[in-house]
Amino acid sequence: MADLKGINLAMQTPFEESGAIDFPVFEELIEKYVAAGVHGLVLGAGTGQHPYLTEAECNQLYEVGAKRIAGRCNVICQTSALNMDEVIRRSRHAESIGADALMILPPYFEGPSDDDGLVDFYKAIDAAVGVDIVGYNIPQATGISVSPQLLGRLTQLKNFNYIKDSAGDFTVHQEFLRTGATVLNGADPTTVYALMAGARGVIWGAANYMPYEAVKLYDLVTSGEYGQALALWQRMLPSILFIWREPYTPSVVRAAQLRGFGTGRVRRPLRPLSTVQEALLRRALEQLG
């Protein structure tokens, strides 16, 4: 079992003006994020615009990424897809190029939403791979809520060792922790509190534009320096609240570009921020310097 503690940065995918993946910038970003001290990089995360990448693009992204990372931090690859065979195919490919873990959404579009169906879904993937599976609770996007009871069943599978909780319901998050499962927080506004409550780490989109601050926050919490952690959190919070309420990925990648990380471009059908949103984002970032 890989140890996915700490800051697992849900990495942006940089694009050229043409819409193609900008692989030189992608590799530069990896170097910057590794230098910032992140504990893991999640390639093809939602913040990496996974829904708008083809399977071939994801495969190439993961190959290039794993080679560049070269064991300096954990590699987590999202292998979600609607077609079951494709999920398994993507997962096996990611495992073959050195992924430490696979992040996989439940069958989110008119697939089974009952507990037995979800267990069968992950059971089939579990039988096909030999690396850690990170389940993904994000009901606001999938319409599927993973209950603490379901999580208890899923963690009986050999490789289902983590749950990423992006729901933002801190009550459920604490119930997850009480099951004994290894929980990774994915809801930006609850990050500091989830770490204090016992989350093993985070999968964090906002770390794209503040990787040094994210690592510092984790270090402060794990060393018990809660006062300093909360003071840092207050500097981070304006931008976190902005990205959580506004279009998430366009906000994150633009904030990252403004702070020297990436191209700031999104792939259609995503749209860049409006002039008004841009002004509000800049104001929200001021406390970070």
Side-chain angles (χ1 to χ4, degrees), residues 89-104:
R89 187 171 63 242
R90 285 173 176 256
S91 298
R92 285 176 167 163
H93 180 267
E95 181 179 5
S96 76
I97 55 88
D100 297 291
L102 312 170
M103 186 171 74
I104 303 173

Side-chain angles (χ1 to χ4, degrees), residues 164-169 184-191 203-204 233 244:
K164 177 190 177 185
D165 181 22
S166 297
D169 185 331
L184 303 172
N185 185 64
D188 299 61
T190 64
T191 300
I203 294 180
W204 200 1
W233 181 249
W244 198 251

Side-chain angles (χ1 to χ4, degrees), residues 67-123:
K67 184 176 180 181
R68 172 62 71 169
I69 292 165
R72 291 176 292 168
C73 68
N74 283 319
V75 176
I76 305 169
C77 296
Q78 175 158 214
T79 56
S80 302
L82 288 173
N83 179 281
M84 190 78 230
D85 291 337
E86 184 179 340
V87 178
I88 292 173
R89 187 171 63 242
R90 285 173 176 256
S91 298
R92 285 176 167 163
H93 180 267
E95 181 179 5
S96 76
I97 55 88
D100 297 291
L102 312 170
M103 186 171 74
I104 303 173
L105 287 162
Y108 52 90
F109 186 74
E110 296 186 353
S113 58
D114 63 291
D115 285 7
D116 289 344
L118 293 170
V119 170
D120 286 346
F121 171 79
Y122 282 109
K123 187 176 181 179

Side-chain angles (χ1 to χ4, degrees), residues 15 18 51 67 90 124 144-145 164 178 189 207 225-226 229 238 242 257 268 273 276:
F15 294 102
S18 67
K67 184 176 180 181
R90 285 173 176 256
I144 296 172
S145 293
K164 177 190 177 185
R178 287 180 60 81
E225 298 176 74
Y226 296 148
F242 177 87
Q257 183 191 21
R268 294 184 299 177
L273 298 181
V276 172

Side-chain angles (χ1 to χ4, degrees), residues 7 188 191-192 204 206-207 209-218 229-243 284-285 287-288:
I7 303 299
D188 299 61
T191 300
V192 70
W204 200 1
Y209 65 83
M210 49 181 178
Y212 287 95
E213 293 88 347
V215 172
K216 181 65 174 177
L217 184 76
Y218 175 77
L230 290 169
L232 173 57
W233 181 249
Q234 289 305 310
R235 292 176 47 221
M236 304 166 88
L237 191 56
S239 63
I240 287 171
L241 294 176
F242 177 87
I243 65 173
L285 290 170
Q287 289 192 41
L288 288 174

